[in-house]
Amino acid sequence: METVEIYFDGGCWPNPGPKGCWKYLICVGSKVYENADWIEQKDCTNNIAEYEGLLHALEKATELNLKDVVIYGDSNLVVQQINRRWKIKKDYLLEYAIICWKLLRKLNSWKLQWIPREQNIDADDLYNERHQQ
């Protein structure tokens, strides 16, 4: 069985702010799927941007019919909430979590792990590249 790794990231500058960015990377053997986009909403936060990255990655994994994945993110909040170790106190984050849990149920197996920012793809770089243009 081929190992599938998913990395997600998100950020908002300033936090909260009117604009954020999310990104994901899905590695299936030697094939890589990558996507990123902007979030433009009045009160975007880093947590919203991180959840957007995870959500879009899971949607793509479902589209690709992936079944066994290991997911990495540098948002301890998202990782702990999705793993049901931390309570979700904000209704808008709970909405994201519910959608993510539904998508995760479509997989045979999954593992979500926190990794240090240095080991993750970086939405900060993407934001800075696009913001400088």
Side-chain angles (χ1 to χ4, degrees), residues 103-121:
L103 291 167
L104 288 165
R105 280 197 290 273
K106 295 180 180 186
L107 304 172
N108 289 340
S109 69
W110 60 274
K111 184 176 183 179
L112 176 58
Q113 291 182 224
W114 176 85
I115 57 173
R117 185 178 208 176
E118 311 77 62
Q119 295 177 21
N120 199 15
I121 60 168

Side-chain angles (χ1 to χ4, degrees), residues 8-23 37-57 75 77-78 81 88 90-97 99-100 123:
F8 71 93
D9 196 13
C12 181
W13 305 268
N15 182 32
K19 192 178 243 187
C21 183
W22 58 263
K23 184 175 184 179
D37 206 352
W38 291 103
I39 306 161
E40 295 195 37
Q41 69 181 53
K42 182 181 175 197
D43 294 318
C44 187
T45 66
N46 285 337
N47 296 331
I48 288 171
E50 294 280 1
Y51 263 110
E52 286 278 347
L54 176 59
L55 173 62
H56 289 282
S75 170
L77 179 124
V78 172
Q81 288 181 342
I88 303 174
K90 306 278 187 197
D91 288 343
Y92 61 91
L93 294 182
L94 181 58
E95 291 174 24
Y96 277 107
I99 296 167
C100 290

Side-chain angles (χ1 to χ4, degrees), residues 1-99:
M1 178 172 30
E2 204 165 39
T3 302
V4 177
E5 293 182 331
I6 298 174
Y7 297 83
F8 71 93
D9 196 13
C12 181
W13 305 268
N15 182 32
K19 192 178 243 187
C21 183
W22 58 263
K23 184 175 184 179
Y24 71 74
L25 189 72
I26 301 176
C27 305
V28 183
S30 61
K31 185 116 173 111
V32 175
Y33 302 88
E34 184 175 10
N35 200 7
D37 206 352
W38 291 103
I39 306 161
E40 295 195 37
Q41 69 181 53
K42 182 181 175 197
D43 294 318
C44 187
T45 66
N46 285 337
N47 296 331
I48 288 171
E50 294 280 1
Y51 263 110
E52 286 278 347
L54 176 59
L55 173 62
H56 289 282
L58 293 173
E59 288 173 341
K60 183 65 174 182
T62 301
E63 176 187 316
L64 295 171
N65 201 31
L66 301 177
K67 294 298 178 186
D68 302 289
V69 302
V70 180
I71 308 162
Y72 301 98
D74 61 21
S75 170
N76 200 31
L77 179 124
V78 172
V79 170
Q80 298 304 333
Q81 288 181 342
I82 293 297
N83 284 326
R84 299 179 192 264
R85 292 186 191 121
W86 290 2
K87 288 183 180 180
I88 303 174
K89 299 175 183 175
K90 306 278 187 197
D91 288 343
Y92 61 91
L93 294 182
L94 181 58
E95 291 174 24
Y96 277 107
I98 289 168
I99 296 167

Side-chain angles (χ1 to χ4, degrees), residues 21-23 36-37 122-131:
C21 183
W22 58 263
K23 184 175 184 179
D37 206 352
D122 200 346
D124 293 347
D125 289 342
L126 177 69
Y127 181 87
N128 290 329
E129 282 174 26
R130 290 188 181 177
H131 194 57

